[in-house]
Amino acid sequence: MNDLFLRVCRGEAVERPPVWLMRQAGRYLPEYRAIRSGVSFLELCKSSELAAKVSLQPIDILGVDAAIVFADILIVPDAMGVELRFEKGDGPSFPTPIRNRDDIARLRHPDVEATLGYVFSTLRVLRAELDGRVPLIGFAGSPWTLAAYVVEGGVSTAFPRLLAWSYEDPSAVVTLLERLADTTIDYLRGQVEAGAQALQIFDTWGGLLSAERWRSLALPSMQRILESIPAGVPRILYLRNGGHLLEVLADLPVEVLSVDWRVPLDEVRRSCSSVPVLQGNLDPCTLLAPIEVIERETARVLEQGSGGGHIVNLGHGILPQTPVEHAKAFVRFAQGGGSRLVAKPADAALPNH
Amino acid sequence: MNDLFLRVCRGEAVERPPVWLMRQAGRYLPEYRAIRSGVSFLELCKSSELAAKVSLQPIDILGVDAAIVFADILIVPDAMGVELRFEKGDGPSFPTPIRNRDDIARLRHPDVEATLGYVFSTLRVLRAELDGRVPLIGFAGSPWTLAAYVVEGGVSTAFPRLLAWSYEDPSAVVTLLERLADTTIDYLRGQVEAGAQALQIFDTWGGLLSAERWRSLALPSMQRILESIPAGVPRILYLRNGGHLLEVLADLPVEVLSVDWRVPLDEVRRSCSSVPVLQGNLDPCTLLAPIEVIERETARVLEQGSGGGHIVNLGHGILPQTPVEHAKAFVRFAQGGGSRLVAKPADAALPNH
């Protein structure tokens, strides 16, 4: 029974920081690819048996300190009536995107048990199969991030349609975010009832906004979601590319703030001193380098995170091309007290200039 | 004779801030597409007559206060022996990427007149055709940004190969950056001799690095390039996604710092008080919204930039889907003293929460 992760989330002192990896149930694992080869991505999400199986793989293979349910953030708008497709070789797409107030009005506020109950089933299967081995994390996308995809109609690097709309008619965009939040709130409550012991909100694209615009656009629905989560369930907010947003984040009602690799944890700790626990933030590209480099960089993350509660993780999802042995080395090193090693600065090997 | 742009760069007080747009010679212009339809992208770069023609289009059509030579940052590694291809419909690719020290050793230090002389010809044609109408800007990519492409072998959103290599063997990466800088220095000097009156360095991907890593990896070659530029030629550094790097940028020997739309100019001015002039930073997505929104947001940029020398620009290149009338409205409004209008906060239209 390993409850390190939950104890850190509750602000308790622990013997070592727990470790897990964003997207740990994923394509870098041959065992995942074997299951995925027989079904489509959405079939895998919707089969509670298979989804539970791939969620458990990183616990067995890497020995991480937490499980996260296998699902996709984009199933929430799908449940609201914005049909989601994953075409072979392409990313996700929404053939009927949300582009105006009429589109928003057509959004359903669905019964989450009827539309997203398969995730709740996966969670129940997982809690039973984990049997207390490690805690189980549920998750959802932030309204802003979901909106980026449903307005664009698919993936993008800059999501110009949502951004243009947010300049043109910010109150329509806020309405869309609130509608997405309504369903997300039900969905996360359902996840807790089904056994999720902590919840992570992924704000992958909030970093496209300036701090002022994040505050006026993305914050209200985010705040409402965070406040709706039942007391006692730790709330983790992941924000990619948010170095310029630290000031806004400082006041959010979260137990854990998860940041990407660009901002050192000790600096985040200073800027967001009201957030008790930080999560992160090894650059996922580090796991492509040799194991001694992974150890050196992990030691640095442990050192930078050592000033308070710390959950070791990557700064973004693990890359599909990551060698499994490298992911294992990261977990093993982080769990084995790497923090007692002296972190060598990365530029130790640099020539003089 | 409009030399507003150069006067601002030199720190002189001016009657109004000058305005130009990154990627102003580009696909959003039907006149550009007409020329481009007859030739490949690289043919267009290499034909001084056509390249000069498209460089002049935004001067005639939008009435911007500066011209920038039409070229591509990736022709520099191509000149060094890393063959560059633009396949139809795809982005740029390097079929023989740079992945190890042997690859670095194979890089040529080319005679820039022989390999990149077509850009110098374009500049000479442009100076003659402009005949002093507006100043002419030359440019190059930063070594880190060029390295991102040549190591990856093409485009990417995260450039994992360069990042992994930079963790594994930072001194090899620094060597690569120095080799890229050697040619860039010759190239920029050639541009000045051919008539470029200011130089902009595009660091599009430096924002993938933490401040500490930007300082140890990207800074030395950048600094050497900036210091090599002949006295009296204004140096502009553009950094995308660099809100977390402001502290490092503050000490760079540049006359103008160009930032993206995520960081308000008044905040950048406070963080980088030693940089005399700021350039930017309207979100290019704004130009997809109606003209009254463009005017409101431009007024805000003018207001935020008003505390010192300011060159009005976008925060990144203009999007290909931008209506030409919207680009014109931006230029017209910025030139027409929009700053005297009261900037309405973007959230004025937001409902209460």
Side-chain angles (χ1 to χ4, degrees):
Chain A
M1 166 102 178
N2 169 356
D3 63 351
L4 267 181
F5 171 84
L6 287 177
R7 286 191 282 135
V8 169
C9 289
R10 286 196 294 258
E12 297 176 20
V14 287
E15 46 281 29
R16 63 166 176 85
V19 54
W20 68 283
L21 286 74
M22 284 188 272
R23 220 170 283 168
Q24 63 188 12
R27 276 203 284 148
Y28 74 103
L29 285 176
E31 293 84 352
Y32 171 91
R33 294 196 301 268
I35 290 178
R36 177 68 180 73
S37 67
V39 291
S40 75
F41 181 76
L42 277 179
E43 282 167 349
L44 179 51
C45 289
K46 292 182 181 184
S47 157
S48 293
E49 191 208 342
L50 294 180
K53 206 171 262 185
V54 299
S55 307
L56 290 168
Q57 285 174 346
I59 322 303
D60 297 329
I61 298 166
L62 305 184
V64 287
D65 297 305
I68 183 163
V69 64
F70 184 83
D72 192 273
I73 61 168
L74 299 181
I75 58 178
V76 167
D78 186 65
M80 295 172 72
V82 198
E83 188 208 348
L84 169 65
R85 285 194 201 156
F86 282 87
E87 312 288 358
K88 223 177 158 66
D90 292 327
S93 70
F94 292 101
T96 56
I98 303 297
R99 302 256 168 96
N100 54 49
R101 285 174 181 266
D102 289 344
D103 292 335
I104 296 175
R106 277 201 307 273
L107 287 172
R108 288 200 300 262
H109 185 167
D111 175 343
V112 291
E113 191 63 58
T115 52
L116 297 163
Y118 55 89
V119 176
F120 307 152
S121 303
T122 307
L123 285 160
R124 283 188 290 265
V125 173
L126 273 171
R127 276 301 292 274
E129 301 217 349
L130 282 168
D131 195 25
R133 264 205 291 166
V134 294
L136 177 57
I137 306 168
F139 72 92
S142 76
W144 173 262
T145 293
L146 298 179
Y149 291 98
V150 298
V151 174
E152 191 64 32
V155 289
S156 168
T157 53
F159 295 99
R161 289 180 195 273
L162 175 61
L163 286 160
W165 196 11
S166 72
Y167 286 112
E168 177 175 351
D169 192 352
S171 92
V173 168
V174 164
T175 303
L176 170 60
L177 301 181
E178 293 296 344
R179 300 293 306 273
L180 289 163
D182 291 340
T183 301
T184 301
I185 287 169
D186 298 349
Y187 177 50
L188 290 173
R189 279 199 189 125
Q191 290 191 42
V192 171
E193 285 163 19
Q197 294 163 285
L199 294 171
Q200 178 154 330
I201 315 293
F202 287 87
D203 191 13
T204 315
W205 292 106
L208 289 172
L209 294 165
S210 67
E212 183 185 348
R213 288 188 3 104
W214 199 89
R215 188 178 275 123
S216 66
L217 292 163
L219 178 66
S221 54
M222 175 72 84
Q223 182 108 15
R224 198 157 63 85
I225 290 171
L226 292 169
E227 285 169 355
S228 79
I229 292 172
V233 178
R235 299 164 290 190
I236 311 171
L237 172 62
Y238 170 69
L239 185 68
R240 195 173 72 91
N241 209 356
H244 59 298
L245 300 175
L246 292 180
E247 205 185 315
V248 190
L249 301 175
D251 299 325
L252 283 171
V254 295
E255 281 69 42
V256 185
L257 185 61
S258 190
V259 293
D260 82 13
W261 65 94
R262 293 169 176 94
V263 275
L265 292 178
D266 46 0
E267 194 181 297
V268 179
R269 187 92 67 191
R270 280 191 296 274
S271 304
C272 303
S273 55
S274 62
V275 177
V277 182
L278 298 182
Q279 179 173 275
N281 66 347
L282 190 78
D283 187 339
C285 297
T286 315
L287 296 189
L288 307 181
I291 287 175
E292 67 266 24
V293 174
I294 296 169
E295 294 187 348
R296 183 193 71 205
E297 293 299 317
T298 305
R300 185 217 288 267
V301 167
L302 287 162
E303 175 68 28
Q304 290 176 339
S306 63
H310 182 205
I311 298 163
V312 182
N313 205 317
L314 302 178
H316 195 203
I318 185 167
L319 294 163
Q321 65 268 43
T322 306
V324 179
E325 287 309 314
H326 290 196
K328 282 187 191 170
F330 167 60
V331 173
R332 189 172 55 229
F333 186 81
Q335 291 177 337
S339 60
R340 289 191 299 274
L341 295 179
V342 178
K344 257 200 301 183
D347 53 354
L350 287 178
N352 290 321
H353 290 284
Chain B
M1 164 103 178
N2 169 355
D3 62 351
L4 267 180
F5 171 84
L6 287 178
R7 285 191 283 137
V8 169
C9 288
R10 287 196 293 258
E12 297 176 20
V14 287
E15 45 281 28
R16 65 167 176 83
V19 54
W20 68 282
L21 287 74
M22 284 188 272
R23 221 170 282 168
Q24 63 188 12
R27 277 203 284 149
Y28 73 103
L29 285 176
E31 294 83 352
Y32 170 91
R33 295 196 299 270
I35 290 178
R36 177 69 179 74
S37 67
V39 290
S40 74
F41 180 76
L42 277 180
E43 283 167 349
L44 179 50
C45 289
K46 293 183 180 184
S47 156
S48 295
E49 190 209 344
L50 294 178
K53 205 171 261 185
V54 300
S55 306
L56 289 169
Q57 286 173 345
I59 320 303
D60 296 329
I61 298 165
L62 305 184
V64 288
D65 297 306
I68 183 164
V69 64
F70 184 83
D72 192 274
I73 61 167
L74 298 182
I75 57 178
V76 167
D78 185 65
M80 295 171 72
V82 198
E83 190 208 348
L84 169 65
R85 285 194 201 157
F86 282 86
E87 311 288 359
K88 223 176 160 66
D90 293 326
S93 70
F94 292 100
T96 55
I98 303 297
R99 301 257 167 96
N100 54 49
R101 287 174 179 264
D102 288 344
D103 292 335
I104 297 175
R106 276 201 306 273
L107 287 171
R108 286 201 300 263
H109 185 169
D111 175 341
V112 291
E113 191 62 58
T115 51
L116 297 163
Y118 55 88
V119 177
F120 307 151
S121 303
T122 307
L123 285 160
R124 282 188 290 264
V125 173
L126 273 170
R127 276 301 293 273
E129 302 217 350
L130 282 167
D131 195 24
R133 265 205 292 165
V134 293
L136 176 58
I137 306 169
F139 72 93
S142 76
W144 173 262
T145 292
L146 299 179
Y149 291 97
V150 297
V151 174
E152 193 62 32
V155 289
S156 168
T157 54
F159 295 97
R161 290 180 194 272
L162 174 61
L163 286 160
W165 196 11
S166 73
Y167 287 111
E168 177 177 349
D169 193 353
S171 91
V173 168
V174 164
T175 303
L176 169 60
L177 301 181
E178 293 297 344
R179 299 295 305 274
L180 290 162
D182 291 339
T183 301
T184 301
I185 287 170
D186 297 349
Y187 178 50
L188 290 173
R189 278 197 191 129
Q191 291 190 42
V192 171
E193 285 164 19
Q197 295 162 283
L199 294 172
Q200 178 155 329
I201 314 293
F202 287 87
D203 191 13
T204 315
W205 293 106
L208 289 171
L209 294 166
S210 68
E212 183 185 349
R213 289 189 1 105
W214 199 90
R215 188 177 274 122
S216 66
L217 292 165
L219 179 65
S221 54
M222 175 73 83
Q223 181 107 17
R224 198 156 64 86
I225 289 171
L226 293 168
E227 286 170 354
S228 79
I229 292 172
V233 178
R235 299 164 291 190
I236 310 171
L237 173 62
Y238 170 69
L239 186 68
R240 197 173 73 90
N241 209 355
H244 60 296
L245 300 177
L246 293 179
E247 204 186 315
V248 190
L249 301 176
D251 299 325
L252 282 172
V254 295
E255 281 68 43
V256 185
L257 184 62
S258 190
V259 293
D260 82 13
W261 65 93
R262 295 168 173 95
V263 275
L265 292 178
D266 46 359
E267 194 180 296
V268 179
R269 187 92 65 191
R270 280 191 296 275
S271 304
C272 303
S273 56
S274 61
V275 177
V277 182
L278 298 182
Q279 179 172 276
N281 67 347
L282 190 79
D283 187 339
C285 297
T286 314
L287 296 189
L288 306 181
I291 287 175
E292 67 266 24
V293 175
I294 296 170
E295 294 187 347
R296 183 193 72 206
E297 294 299 318
T298 305
R300 186 216 286 268
V301 167
L302 286 163
E303 176 66 29
Q304 291 175 340
S306 63
H310 183 204
I311 297 163
V312 182
N313 205 317
L314 302 176
H316 196 202
I318 185 168
L319 293 163
Q321 65 268 43
T322 305
V324 178
E325 287 308 315
H326 291 196
K328 282 186 191 170
F330 166 60
V331 173
R332 190 171 56 229
F333 186 82
Q335 291 177 337
S339 60
R340 290 190 298 272
L341 296 179
V342 177
K344 256 200 302 183
D347 54 354
L350 286 178
N352 291 321
H353 290 285

